[in-house]
Amino acid sequence: MRYILTYIFFISSSISLLASSTKADSLYTVQNYREAIAEYEKQLSEGVNDNIYYNIGNCHFRMNEYPQAILNYHKALKINPQHSDARDNLRICSDKVGAYAQSNNEMFYTTWIKSLVSSKSANDWGFWALCCWTVFLFIGVAYFLAQTPKVKKITFFTALPLLILTILLNVFAYNSKQYFYNTLHLVVMKSTPLYESATTASKQIGEVTPGVLLKLNDSFEEHWYNVNLPDGRQAWCENTTVEKVELN
């Protein structure tokens, strides 16, 4: 009897979740994004799901609320790092708001590389590095088995860029893991002043705009965060205008 009741409860919960999802999707379809968010958030109380966070992110994106969209895309990717749609939309939002925060002394290509590295997970970069390495090994074997100088030349100049690309992809994988993997970050939700120390009486050294992603180092007295800036400096900000997110 207990198993029957459990089964009935499971079926009822599933039907309720499906009905809620259908209502939320319908609201999204008619561009009632605010109410759709409310319905999607109700689903979170019944169980966390990467697609729910992805849908909430899409609603915010449609309303040009990019910081909120970025936050929810990151939450979706934390649950499912292979969610390619969430990663693609995250990249679009990040480009719109400059989420990786170019500093005044940072060259444009440095910002572009940061954006490129963050566009894939460490596992994705590692996978492509492995593919290039495998092809490189096959071409290397062909080089040593080649009977003519022409074939040796072709295989050599094919293998060389593959080796360089393999090294580059491994560097991307390493940097992606070091900066983004299982580390706490902050998504800036509103313009946030930065200070030299954990008090507003200290010198203000700058300000970050909404949507910017900052790496969290430490906290102080529950409402101050120490963060890494793009140029390598550290600063303090209050926690009232930022949201924590753990990245993959």
Side-chain angles (χ1 to χ4, degrees), residues 4-61:
I4 294 174
L5 291 174
T6 302
Y7 178 75
I8 292 173
F9 175 77
F10 174 77
I11 294 297
S12 300
S13 299
S14 300
I15 292 172
S16 174
L17 183 60
L18 180 61
S20 178
S21 178
T22 302
K23 182 178 180 181
D25 292 343
S26 297
L27 289 167
Y28 180 89
T29 301
V30 297
Q31 301 181 10
N32 193 341
Y33 302 122
R34 193 67 63 192
E35 290 190 23
I37 290 173
E39 290 299 322
Y40 286 128
E41 287 178 342
K42 287 179 184 178
Q43 296 175 32
L44 291 175
S45 63
E46 301 175 18
V48 175
N49 181 286
D50 57 321
N51 284 321
I52 297 176
Y53 283 122
Y54 170 70
N55 289 336
I56 293 173
N58 286 343
C59 290
H60 285 297
F61 179 81

Side-chain angles (χ1 to χ4, degrees), residues 62-152:
R62 294 293 184 180
M63 294 186 292
N64 297 325
E65 296 173 349
Y66 300 123
Q68 293 85 347
I70 288 170
L71 178 66
N72 282 282
Y73 290 143
H74 275 305
K75 288 181 177 180
L77 289 167
K78 177 60 185 173
I79 299 171
N80 178 15
Q82 306 306 318
H83 200 307
S84 59
D85 289 337
R87 194 169 295 281
D88 289 342
N89 287 6
L90 173 62
R91 184 168 62 251
I92 293 170
C93 283
S94 299
D95 289 342
K96 282 182 175 292
V97 300
Y100 299 102
Q102 180 178 346
S103 68
N104 292 333
N105 299 321
E106 186 174 271
M107 298 300 291
F108 73 93
Y109 56 80
T110 304
T111 304
W112 180 82
I113 291 172
K114 285 181 180 178
S115 180
L116 176 63
V117 170
S118 67
S119 68
K120 302 290 182 184
S121 67
N123 289 339
D124 288 336
W125 289 123
F127 170 77
W128 288 112
L130 181 61
C131 289
C132 288
W133 178 249
T134 303
V135 176
F136 169 79
L137 289 178
F138 277 110
I139 294 177
V141 171
Y143 172 82
F144 286 107
L145 295 178
Q147 301 294 318
T148 65
K150 182 178 180 180
V151 175
K152 279 186 174 292

